[in-house]
Amino acid sequence: MAQELQYSPLLNNDIRVIQLLTQIDDPAHTNGPVHCKIVHVSLDDSHRVDSTKTAIKGSDGVWPVTVANAIDNESKISQPVSYDALFSPGLTERIDPFGRIPERPYFERPSFLRSKPKAESQHKAPAWDPSKDPETDLPWRYTWGDFVALSYVWGDQSIRKDIYVDGARMSVTASLESALRELRNHMRIQQGFYVWVDALCINQEDLDERGLQVGRMKEIYHTAWHVVIWLGPEAHSSDLAMLALRYMSVESERGDVLSRLYKRVEFYVVRLPFMQWKHEHHTLLIRKRVLNAIHHLLSRPYWRRLWIIQEVVLGSGNSPVLCGGSSILIRDIFKSLQVMKGDGDALGRYIIMSARGSSSQKQKWKLTDDTYEISEKLWERPIAMAILQALDTNLSTTNRGVYDALLLSRDAKATDERDRVYGILGLPHLARLVQIYPDYNLTAAQTFTLFSARLLSSGNLNGLRLVNSPVPSIGTQYIKSSHFSRPRKPRLVHRHRIIHRGCEHGLPSWVICWSCPRNPAQPFDNKSSTLPPFSPLPLSSHPRIIDDRFLTAKGIIFEEITGLSACHATESSTSYPFSSPSPPPSPYGSRTETRSALARLLTGNDPSGPDPHLLLPLRLWETGIMGVDNIGVFGVKDFYYRNRSLRLWDPWTIEALIREPQYDRLRAGASTAPRLTRFTPGHRDALAAAMRMLSWRRLVTTSSGYLGLVPAAARAGDVVAVLVGCDAPLVLRPEAGGRYSVVGEAYVQWVTGAEVQQRLEKGICIMEDICIC
């Protein structure tokens, strides 16, 4: 970064903060260039004011926001707003569409020839009035004052703007300049709160200082009075989006918000004495323009930035979110996204289709495109941050917190690959396990190896679930109908190519590599963990790293994989599906119980998810559902036609398991024949869940007949293992010298959920040292 500012060295464990000059200091700072001063301050407790004896400035924790209800106790200072702009016009407006058009002179120029002034945001930040401030005479939290920490995305480095720091002109990104310009209009900044921002408060040219200050970011963001989030300037009706998110948050606290967003419509298509056909559906009351605005807001680069993970998690639920002139609280965004998730992702799909069209549901399965903006990640990523923020730091939640943090880091965008490690070290769940300091003199591979070794040595082996295994070659060109006509399976498949090569840096299989593209399979939900708890092990039994090459951990080799499906409808290898030469009987019992086990496996065993039994109708497997799996070769029907000859158990292939028994068909008369299945939204949700679970994975059976889903790289002879410290089973591949390499995480459909513990007690399996290379 080109700069004219000369930084003074930081002494005595100090940090830098900036003082933004506002209209309170000089009216010229209302609209002119951004001016600020750098101040050195200390976060030591010796500079703290004892808040137990007296109130201090900001002790109420309120940052006045612009989009709020007057009745909201935490936003009493904010302006009351109306939510009328979110909903479709009333019946009167629809009947008389010209009734609200203002009159204009006959000779006035047409609107498309007139220059229109830029519309200003209807929400403005409350200004500070010293005479009405009840905190005027209160002391600050520190003897030198207090500060907030700014969380933002740097943006395009080529688009620069000038600000003035200590009187010296300095070039910063346009994103930062707009954030500082907006912040100086807010009451708390005018009141005197300092701001910590990485681009100005860290000398980016000094690698030693940069490493030390990055290591202190946990302390800085945790100590800040508030973390202020800047999404960027107003664009794409972001005011409407902020208003809509606030509305959903408020209504979710009052009751069923979905009943206020949807309207049920029903009418008779045919109504005759001998035949009736009633149609019903739900329509959204919220405007399409609002849905489009929400999509653009959630698609902003901020949500994919790596560093925001720890910045948001270390903040509070009352952290303000600024976008242009509008501001709400981060908890409003989290609550509104939970509403979308609670609707079975249906509201989210409406939002995506309003901005990207119905074809987006097909495009999200393409590997060559970035699918973030057209997939469930749009709301699942912020929800994952909210979960991390709410998790306690006790031992019972450490494993989940670590795994969620690693997932968020893997999918984030970072300019420097080493920041994928350094950017999450401040998270509470990781900080208690991994004690390393950022060192930008190490290479990316050295950083990944060091981090993985420290994490695994602590006893937490969930990082092994993120192994970057390859995906074999598939045919990318074929002939296949998207509807119900023939051919139902791909024909004339050609142009074969390898989808994913896995890690190509020569690292041990236990090292988490963030440099390579991730495996395209979606991670299993944490609910997939049904492993019994192990007894606490002595510290001497914790995993050991030998020569930075081998990992030795306690675990159990459960069973060998014997039967595997194809991982894709056009997989190049003709060896799949691969049936075991001597398939075992089903451990789940009867045919009905086995069908139920298969359905539960494919829907993820989620109690709050779709009903697994809605996945069992034969018609769904043979023809699918229009609009859900007519998107290429990822549907359940595509899996069925490629793998229906796979013999999972002794009496049944997949086809025999799904189809009704032949004798039932022959005995069934016309009066007892089942009616044509009518697909409901529940069927659609179950099918979508199965597609997500099956994509880029193999359905397998073990030597005892247990069902499972494993990475596409798995093959016959691999073993399913359970390692102490890992919340999910792993697929391991036997290597020379009695060692194993990690293929990836597995999802096994247990019978009772206690099979591993029972085998230990009966001596069928033993707890042993497993060496991973």
Side-chain angles (χ1 to χ4, degrees):
M1 179 188 299
Q3 55 182 345
E4 302 175 15
L5 179 68
Q6 297 296 321
Y7 281 99
S8 300
L10 292 171
L11 303 175
N12 301 324
N13 211 26
D14 288 351
I15 65 168
R16 300 185 187 93
V17 291
I18 62 170
Q19 176 191 359
L20 268 176
L21 301 184
T22 68
Q23 59 185 357
I24 304 299
D25 302 298
D26 189 336
H29 297 317
T30 304
N31 297 310
V34 174
H35 287 258
C36 58
K37 298 178 180 178
I38 287 185
V39 181
H40 288 219
V41 299
S42 173
L43 300 181
D44 290 343
D45 290 339
S46 59
H47 294 270
R48 276 183 177 267
V49 173
D50 188 358
S51 58
T52 60
K53 298 180 180 180
T54 179
I56 57 176
K57 283 184 172 67
S59 57
D60 56 2
V62 174
W63 177 289
V65 295
T66 62
V67 183
N69 264 357
I71 61 173
D72 191 343
N73 294 329
E74 295 183 0
S75 304
K76 287 181 178 178
I77 311 177
S78 302
Q79 305 166 358
V81 296
S82 171
Y83 298 114
D84 294 342
L86 302 178
F87 299 98
S88 300
L91 182 61
T92 304
E93 182 181 345
R94 294 181 184 177
I95 294 175
D96 187 10
F98 300 102
R100 302 182 65 177
I101 297 181
E103 296 183 2
R104 58 190 177 100
Y106 178 78
F107 293 103
E108 186 175 347
R109 301 174 69 188
S111 59
F112 65 89
L113 293 179
R114 299 196 306 269
S115 59
K116 298 181 180 179
K118 184 176 180 181
E120 295 184 359
S121 171
Q122 57 180 312
H123 309 300
K124 293 184 178 180
W128 181 55
D129 186 349
S131 63
K132 298 180 180 180
D133 185 5
E135 298 179 347
T136 301
D137 298 328
L138 295 180
W140 290 95
R141 188 162 57 115
Y142 290 93
T143 54
W144 47 264
D146 208 341
F147 76 107
V148 297
L150 181 64
S151 175
Y152 72 108
V153 59
W154 280 39
D156 191 343
Q157 296 283 348
S158 63
I159 304 177
R160 317 285 296 185
K161 288 192 176 182
D162 289 338
I163 64 172
Y164 292 87
V165 183
D166 289 338
R169 187 171 62 182
M170 185 175 184
S171 176
V172 298
T173 62
S175 175
L176 176 57
E177 192 272 345
S178 62
L180 298 177
R181 182 178 292 275
E182 175 61 29
L183 271 177
R184 67 183 181 181
N185 297 324
H186 282 257
M187 190 201 83
R188 290 299 187 182
I189 302 302
Q190 295 173 359
Q191 190 182 22
F193 277 84
Y194 295 114
V195 181
W196 187 91
V197 52
D198 55 357
L200 299 179
C201 298
I202 299 177
N203 185 357
Q204 301 293 330
E205 304 298 326
D206 187 340
L207 291 182
D208 292 333
E209 178 185 310
R210 180 182 167 192
L212 290 173
Q213 291 298 300
V214 167
R216 296 191 65 187
M217 287 181 70
K218 175 193 174 184
E219 176 190 7
I220 292 171
Y221 277 92
H222 184 69
T223 307
W225 177 73
H226 263 322
V227 176
V228 180
I229 297 170
W230 172 248
L231 297 183
E234 194 279 332
H236 301 291
S237 302
S238 56
D239 285 354
L240 274 179
M242 300 282 274
L243 186 66
L245 295 177
R246 172 64 180 171
Y247 173 80
M248 286 190 281
S249 171
V250 171
E251 293 300 326
S252 67
E253 297 177 353
R254 295 176 177 173
D256 184 13
V257 62
L258 295 178
S259 63
R260 301 176 182 272
L261 298 178
Y262 288 98
K263 178 182 179 181
R264 183 177 180 179
V265 178
E266 57 181 22
F267 56 88
Y268 285 95
V269 179
V270 178
R271 192 171 188 181
L272 299 173
F274 57 88
M275 181 177 66
Q276 292 184 357
W277 178 10
K278 188 177 182 180
H279 172 79
E280 61 181 38
H281 70 276
H282 289 80
T283 181
L284 270 177
L285 296 176
I286 199 166
R287 291 183 174 184
K288 181 178 179 181
R289 180 187 175 195
V290 177
L291 300 178
N292 195 23
I294 295 175
H295 179 271
H296 283 290
L297 188 78
L298 297 179
S299 300
R300 294 204 174 208
Y302 176 86
W303 302 109
R304 304 184 67 182
R305 176 176 170 258
L306 175 73
W307 286 99
I308 72 155
I309 300 172
Q310 74 171 4
E311 294 167 5
V312 171
V313 171
L314 292 174
S316 69
N318 290 329
S319 295
V321 180
L322 281 57
C323 185
S326 297
S327 55
I328 58 177
L329 301 179
I330 187 66
R331 64 178 173 87
D332 291 328
I333 295 181
F334 290 158
K335 287 182 180 179
S336 60
L337 297 185
Q338 290 286 5
V339 169
M340 293 167 55
K341 185 68 176 175
D343 191 26
D345 297 334
L347 180 57
R349 289 194 291 269
Y350 278 123
I351 290 174
I352 292 174
M353 288 190 290
S354 71
R356 294 298 187 90
S358 57
S359 62
S360 59
Q361 298 304 298
K362 180 177 181 179
Q363 294 171 356
K364 74 178 184 179
W365 294 96
K366 292 184 177 180
L367 286 177
T368 56
D369 302 330
D370 185 358
T371 62
Y372 181 85
E373 297 179 6
I374 55 177
S375 68
E376 295 81 1
K377 299 175 186 176
L378 206 62
W379 53 90
E380 288 180 351
R381 181 173 176 82
I383 288 176
M385 296 182 198
I387 293 174
L388 270 180
Q389 188 185 72
L391 280 179
D392 296 328
T393 55
N394 54 42
L395 291 176
S396 63
T397 61
T398 294
N399 282 1
R400 177 176 182 179
V402 169
Y403 180 63
D404 288 349
L406 296 177
L407 281 179
L408 287 170
S409 175
R410 185 183 67 172
D411 292 335
K413 287 189 173 181
T415 305
D416 191 326
E417 292 296 330
R418 293 167 294 186
D419 285 339
R420 295 189 182 276
V421 169
Y422 299 152
I424 58 175
L425 289 178
L427 294 176
H429 300 87
L430 269 174
R432 65 186 303 168
L433 299 179
V434 181
Q435 302 292 331
I436 61 175
Y437 288 93
D439 184 355
Y440 288 94
N441 296 310
L442 298 178
T443 64
Q446 291 173 327
T447 303
F448 300 158
T449 302
L450 176 62
F451 172 79
S452 300
R454 295 287 178 86
L455 176 62
L456 300 177
S457 298
S458 70
N460 189 304
L461 301 186
N462 279 303
L464 299 178
R465 300 169 64 181
L466 301 181
V467 166
N468 211 351
S469 58
V471 175
S473 172
I474 68 170
T476 58
Q477 297 292 328
Y478 48 86
I479 297 176
K480 177 180 175 293
S481 172
S482 297
H483 305 287
F484 301 118
S485 60
R486 307 276 180 176
R488 289 180 175 174
K489 60 188 298 185
R491 303 290 186 184
L492 301 178
V493 180
H494 58 288
R495 290 195 180 180
H496 297 267
R497 70 180 181 91
I498 296 177
I499 294 302
H500 182 66
R501 297 185 180 276
C503 179
E504 299 181 304
H505 292 86
L507 298 173
S509 66
W510 50 267
V511 174
I512 308 170
C513 180
W514 280 280
S515 294
C516 297
R518 71 171 183 84
N519 188 289
Q522 293 296 317
F524 292 123
D525 189 84
N526 279 293
K527 299 183 182 70
S528 65
S529 175
T530 54
L531 298 178
F534 290 96
S535 302
L537 297 175
L539 292 177
S540 59
S541 298
H542 276 197
R544 304 186 307 276
I545 305 296
I546 304 172
D547 299 331
D548 284 342
R549 294 176 56 199
F550 305 110
L551 165 69
T552 301
K554 290 287 185 181
I556 300 166
I557 303 298
F558 184 68
E559 281 189 356
E560 181 180 331
I561 295 174
T562 56
L564 304 91
S565 72
C567 67
H568 194 272
T570 63
E571 184 173 1
S572 303
S573 175
T574 58
S575 302
Y576 297 99
F578 177 83
S579 299
S580 171
S582 55
S586 171
Y588 305 102
S590 66
R591 177 178 177 276
T592 301
E593 293 169 333
T594 303
R595 279 165 52 93
S596 178
L598 175 62
R600 292 197 305 272
L601 174 80
L602 297 183
T603 52
N605 266 342
D606 186 356
S608 60
D611 182 359
H613 295 91
L614 296 178
L615 194 65
L616 293 177
L618 174 62
R619 180 180 160 215
L620 186 146
W621 288 78
E622 289 187 331
T623 62
I625 300 178
M626 184 65 63
V628 180
D629 63 348
N630 61 322
I631 52 175
V633 286
F634 287 95
V636 169
K637 67 178 186 295
D638 303 298
F639 170 84
Y640 174 72
Y641 284 114
R642 173 68 189 254
N643 298 287
R644 58 183 175 179
S645 63
L646 174 62
R647 185 168 296 277
L648 297 172
W649 301 280
D650 187 16
W652 306 302
T653 61
I654 288 183
E655 182 176 22
L657 189 67
I658 297 299
R659 287 184 177 274
E660 293 294 331
Q662 186 176 3
Y663 65 89
D664 285 344
R665 293 193 195 176
L666 296 175
R667 293 175 56 187
S671 60
T672 60
R675 295 183 177 182
L676 188 65
T677 304
R678 181 182 179 183
F679 292 137
T680 65
H683 288 91
R684 294 175 176 268
D685 292 340
L687 183 58
M691 290 171 59
R692 185 168 181 172
M693 293 287 285
L694 281 171
S695 61
W696 309 113
R697 291 192 176 99
R698 300 190 190 278
L699 177 69
V700 301
T701 50
T702 65
S703 54
S704 293
Y706 289 99
L707 271 173
L709 290 171
V710 300
R715 59 189 184 215
D718 292 344
V719 297
V720 175
V722 176
L723 301 185
V724 179
C726 186
D727 290 341
L730 297 174
V731 177
L732 303 181
R733 178 160 299 156
E735 304 287 354
R739 300 187 180 97
Y740 296 88
S741 60
V742 182
V743 178
E745 69 172 332
Y747 174 45
V748 178
Q749 182 61 40
W750 312 106
V751 177
T752 64
E755 278 75 6
V756 177
Q757 195 70 32
Q758 291 172 1
R759 293 195 174 206
L760 273 177
E761 294 171 354
K762 294 178 180 180
I764 301 175
C765 294
I766 61 171
M767 186 78 68
E768 58 183 307
D769 286 330
I770 299 177
C771 183
I772 300 175
C773 56

